[in-house]
Amino acid sequence: NPSGALGQNNETAYSSPTQVPGTTWKSAATVGYDGSAVAVKTDGTLWAWGYNDKGQADHNSRTEYSSPVQVGSGTDWAEAHTTNHTSFALKEA
């Protein structure tokens, strides 16, 4: 859970699965290498958190977030993805 990548508002190491707060997650992806995550909720909003040294948490900053923070105000996001040091999301067609 480096940099709060599990979205629990802490950096505690857990030895068993831990649910990200909330129950309306539709699509989520993590970058295991650097501990960041990006997700879409069923209402179409985009969220990101965790390690953010290169801005990969999509908040136009390098601030680390240990719990999910909404990215922008859009409600037409369909799914979230990550690659090595990058996160991205696709909008509804």
Side-chain angles (χ1 to χ4, degrees):
N1 192 21
S3 306
L6 293 177
Q8 302 298 310
N9 200 29
N10 62 46
E11 293 185 13
T12 303
Y14 294 91
S15 61
S16 59
T18 304
Q19 181 176 335
V20 175
T23 59
T24 58
W25 300 108
K26 177 181 176 183
S27 170
T30 62
V31 178
Y33 177 80
D34 64 9
S36 60
V38 62
V40 174
K41 286 190 170 188
T42 56
D43 64 1
T45 56
L46 179 63
W47 299 74
W49 63 95
Y51 194 59
N52 193 30
D53 72 325
K54 296 172 180 65
Q56 61 268 42
D58 305 318
H59 295 294
N60 199 26
S61 74
R62 292 185 178 190
T63 303
E64 292 182 359
Y65 299 93
S66 61
S67 59
V69 176
Q70 187 172 351
V71 178
S73 59
T75 58
D76 57 348
W77 296 101
E79 54 190 78
H81 299 277
T82 59
T83 61
N84 200 9
H85 293 285
T86 306
S87 60
F88 62 97
L90 303 174
K91 288 192 170 192
E92 295 286 346

